[in-house]
Amino acid sequence: MSAQKASAPTAALTREKLIDLLNEDLSREYQAIIAYVNYSQVLKGAQYMNIADELAVHATEELAHAIAIANHIDYLGGMPTATPKLVKTSEKNEEMLRFDLENEKETIANYRRRIKQCDELNEFAIGESIREILMQEQDHLIALATALGIDPPNPGIAD
């Protein structure tokens, strides 16, 4: 069966498919807002206070991203979702930051793909808007990696 699936032609990208993909992105933005609000308040210990303050700022940036993505979905004729992706929680500081790091990696990979898809559909303005969002998401990834004392990982690009 997988051989048939591999040989099947990929469906052409349409505005409707882009709406669905942007709604997935919007669900990830909602997830990020909730996670950053939660984590910024429950991180404990003096060494985490600066990152806790930064996570609160990230929450407001993610809200701006959500509004922009919802606007693009509406422009394309879709209905923005109201459902966030699942938010992982923990009482362990490092675990929370690792959850955030993984979410940022996924978000960046998907936005890299989304920019290409927007360009494919000649939706250049939406692609430019997502590029701006992508720059902030990469800043978030760097801040989280720094807080964890690791090099920022390469998120790659979503398939």
Side-chain angles (χ1 to χ4, degrees), residues 91-149:
E91 293 184 14
K92 297 177 181 171
N93 292 332
E94 190 172 320
E95 202 167 70
M96 281 186 273
L97 295 176
R98 288 195 182 279
F99 291 158
D100 263 348
L101 185 67
E102 287 306 310
N103 290 341
E104 289 294 354
K105 281 174 49 181
E106 181 180 351
T107 296
I108 290 167
N110 279 289
Y111 279 148
R112 287 175 175 177
R113 171 68 56 212
R114 212 68 67 239
I115 289 165
K116 288 182 173 208
Q117 292 164 329
C118 287
D119 288 352
E120 182 181 331
L121 290 175
N122 296 318
E123 291 295 347
F124 303 114
I126 295 173
E128 285 304 309
S129 172
I130 293 172
R131 278 181 174 85
E132 301 226 352
I133 292 170
L134 181 59
M135 286 190 298
Q136 282 190 332
E137 300 291 4
Q138 288 181 177
D139 286 345
H140 296 173
L141 179 100
I142 292 166
L144 290 164
T146 300
L148 287 164

Side-chain angles (χ1 to χ4, degrees), residues 2-147:
S2 62
Q4 290 176 352
K5 205 172 202 181
S7 65
T10 56
L13 182 65
T14 62
R15 286 171 69 97
E16 292 74 23
K17 179 63 176 166
L18 183 59
I19 290 166
D20 291 344
L21 294 167
L22 288 170
N23 264 318
E24 289 176 23
D25 298 331
L26 184 55
S27 288
R28 268 190 297 282
E29 292 294 350
Y30 293 153
Q31 174 193 45
I33 294 165
I34 295 166
Y36 281 133
V37 167
N38 179 274
Y39 300 169
S40 71
Q41 300 309 305
V42 301
L43 278 172
K44 302 290 185 241
Q47 71 271 32
Y48 290 102
M49 289 303 94
N50 284 344
I51 191 65
D53 290 344
E54 192 163 338
L55 295 183
V57 171
H58 289 187
T60 62
E61 292 170 347
E62 300 292 0
L63 175 58
H65 301 169
I67 291 169
I69 298 298
N71 177 269
H72 300 322
I73 293 166
D74 179 66
Y75 163 77
L76 291 169
M79 174 60 77
T81 187
T83 306
K85 290 184 97 40
L86 179 68
V87 177
K88 293 180 182 178
T89 58
S90 175
E91 293 184 14
K92 297 177 181 171
N93 292 332
E94 190 172 320
E95 202 167 70
M96 281 186 273
L97 295 176
R98 288 195 182 279
F99 291 158
D100 263 348
L101 185 67
E102 287 306 310
N103 290 341
E104 289 294 354
K105 281 174 49 181
E106 181 180 351
T107 296
I108 290 167
N110 279 289
Y111 279 148
R112 287 175 175 177
R113 171 68 56 212
R114 212 68 67 239
I115 289 165
K116 288 182 173 208
Q117 292 164 329
C118 287
D119 288 352
E120 182 181 331
L121 290 175
N122 296 318
E123 291 295 347
F124 303 114
I126 295 173
E128 285 304 309
S129 172
I130 293 172
R131 278 181 174 85
E132 301 226 352
I133 292 170
L134 181 59
M135 286 190 298
Q136 282 190 332
E137 300 291 4
Q138 288 181 177
D139 286 345
H140 296 173
L141 179 100
I142 292 166
L144 290 164
T146 300

